[in-house]
Amino acid sequence: MTRPFLAADFVAEEVSARTGFAGNRLDRLAEARDESTMPAALAHGEARGYGIARGRLVVDFSESPRGLIPLPELQQLQPKADRAVLLGFDGDAPRLAVPVAADPDNLPAPYKAVDFRSLAIQGLLPADELGQVAQAGSLLNWHSSARFCGRCGSPTELRDAGAKRHCPSCERDQFPRTDPVVIMLIVSPDGEQCLLGRSPHFPPGMVSALAGFVEAGETLEMAVRRETFEEAGIRIGDVSYHASQPWPFPHTLMIGCMGRAMETGIVRDEAELEACDWYSREQVLEVFAQSNAPGEGELSLPFPMAIAHTLIRDWAEGRASL
Amino acid sequence: MTRPFLAADFVAEEVSARTGFAGNRLDRLAEARDESTMPAALAHGEARGYGIARGRLVVDFSESPRGLIPLPELQQLQPKADRAVLLGFDGDAPRLAVPVAADPDNLPAPYKAVDFRSLAIQGLLPADELGQVAQAGSLLNWHSSARFCGRCGSPTELRDAGAKRHCPSCERDQFPRTDPVVIMLIVSPDGEQCLLGRSPHFPPGMVSALAGFVEAGETLEMAVRRETFEEAGIRIGDVSYHASQPWPFPHTLMIGCMGRAMETGIVRDEAELEACDWYSREQVLEVFAQSNAPGEGELSLPFPMAIAHTLIRDWAEGRASL
């Protein structure tokens, strides 16, 4: 690489850039890869890897927390070398994700395994590295779900340093899966309230924006309307895009939208939501002012790392429009 | 269903609604399905199905072209009943997609098999039905690629009338895959030109907006920047969302964006693009005025059914902003 794909004066004020896991600036060079790419990357003097132990990042706590570890140091954690993937390049230096067999609950000092949510919430890593970890998590989750060919059932092989898998039996190539999800802040017809719901798995008292997978044959706007109607029985008029976020659980793209309700009478899907209600701008601002973590206080909202937080805060503070 | 999820005064001016394949208004009720759903749908007096023969729609040309066919009439086309999927409900009436074994090149009169692109270009079906066909194509393409479990290699079973597949061996559920693709009209720093490229598989003389799959761990904005740099060597500042489109080849969600170039010197990826150049607003408007089909004349642009057309036309006519 002679020239980075992001200009130095890259847009810092972009809303998507404010979401958790969004900071990845590696050059992936997926199109330029072949079977020589991984051996060359492993042999590079500046190669570093993220160790992933059962879905958690191995963090070196010897000094300030460090996620990116020289490959020789990862040896003691029983790396699964045949499952390692190349994330991309930081300048010329290869950055890898390396699944390790070591027990995440009993790593040798100075290593500890930290789940991705905690990494983001606690700000343990620089934004760029947190974004690389999200890429690592999504890719490894997909690889472990695509070890056999869905078309013919034969074992597949990792190719192009992890940019695809190949079925030697039926010759099919498969590429990493990314699931688009719409997450929408629905605003009342008069613009003064927003619709928030409670999933059964949320901490006590926490509410958030509604969300759901985009289904086959939908535009984003139609997915927002369908999901909102399914979960809350509310019909939606105008929809606008606000921001997006990579979400490595297991390999999701969160697409954040605003939607204008055409009615206020909620018909809650009781299987999906424990509660669903309209909240005024003042109620929401008061919760933000208290800075409650999710589950603290009577009412709480998602952590700043979640795009739901961005949507709700930008609306409440007047930075999101329809 | 007692109430449709789309209000009668549903936003007609939405840009996404102007793209091909976007008209689907079925109530899918995916969450409400179980193993009784398909038998009930098949037994419903108003049930209708789209026959799909090797990826093409069976159209009845006896009077005006008809895609939605009563199930008894599909019998003569050797339906693969165990692979049929429920798309959703039009009011109370079930709408299905039924793969048929009949040879698409030798169907009995009055049936002919028409590929999805031609359906959209020729306007053979109402927009709502064309959208349902896109859903059918995406779903059936996915089902045929997920017949075996990617995690354990065992045969999977269609469940919930096609809303998922289940692996009886490892108990994993799999849901239909939708691949997000960014397609972006890149505008020159002064706003007066746009960047269009030629893929080797385009008809002679046709150029279009650049596009590529969203990769793991990216925001939409970063995917636009990475793809544009990979294909054209151009670095991008501001990015904005314009519209989206379902695209059943094989199961894609096109996410249309505008992007502002920070430089004009093109470094073309010669493997991906035969040509890539800046075109003035006047050049583009002149091509639209000629109404050339792709491949006609010296220079041509995509058909109106493609979101690339929407992006280019909306920019040229001043309806798209950054």
Side-chain angles (χ1 to χ4, degrees), chain A residues 1 3-11 14 16-17 19 21-31 131 134-135 138-139 142-154 172 174-180 214-222 225-227 229-230 233-247 253 255 262-263 265 267 269 272, chain B residues 1 3-11 14 16-17 19 21-31 131 134-135 138-139 142-154 172 174-180 214-222 225-227 229-230 233-247 253 255 262-263 265 267 269 272:
Chain A
M1 284 304 297
R3 221 166 62 111
F5 82 103
L6 291 174
D9 51 353
F10 159 68
V11 189
E14 186 161 275
S16 296
T19 64
F21 302 117
N24 190 344
R25 296 177 173 219
L26 290 181
D27 281 311
R28 293 146 182 263
L29 297 181
E31 301 288 340
Q135 181 192 357
S138 292
L139 275 178
W142 174 74
H143 276 284
S144 69
S145 77
R147 296 171 61 196
F148 295 87
C149 178
R151 193 165 70 180
C152 79
S154 304
R172 177 171 172 244
Q174 268 191 283
F175 295 88
R177 174 170 170 154
T178 297
D179 296 316
V214 178
E215 294 187 1
E218 285 184 325
T219 63
L220 292 176
E221 293 82 359
M222 291 293 269
R225 295 190 181 102
R226 176 188 52 72
E227 275 289 341
F229 188 77
E230 285 178 3
I234 299 276
R235 288 180 293 192
I236 302 301
D238 286 334
V239 173
S240 67
Y241 168 80
H242 190 62
S244 56
Q245 174 184 38
W247 193 245
L253 171 66
I255 303 173
M262 303 178 78
E263 56 198 359
V267 183
D269 175 345
E272 291 277 314
Chain B
M1 285 304 297
R3 225 165 60 111
F5 83 104
L6 291 173
D9 52 351
F10 160 68
V11 190
E14 185 162 276
S16 296
T19 64
F21 301 118
N24 191 342
R25 294 176 173 221
L26 290 182
D27 282 311
R28 293 148 182 262
L29 297 181
E31 301 288 342
Q135 182 193 357
S138 292
L139 275 178
W142 174 74
H143 276 282
S144 68
S145 77
R147 296 172 61 194
F148 295 87
C149 177
R151 192 167 69 181
C152 80
S154 304
R172 177 172 171 244
Q174 266 192 286
F175 294 88
R177 173 169 171 154
T178 298
D179 297 317
V214 178
E215 294 187 1
E218 286 183 325
T219 64
L220 292 176
E221 293 82 359
M222 291 294 269
R225 296 189 180 101
R226 177 189 49 74
E227 275 289 338
F229 188 77
E230 285 178 4
I234 298 277
R235 288 180 293 194
I236 302 300
D238 286 334
V239 173
S240 66
Y241 168 80
H242 190 61
S244 56
Q245 173 183 40
W247 193 245
L253 172 67
I255 302 173
M262 304 178 77
E263 56 198 358
V267 184
D269 176 345
E272 290 278 314

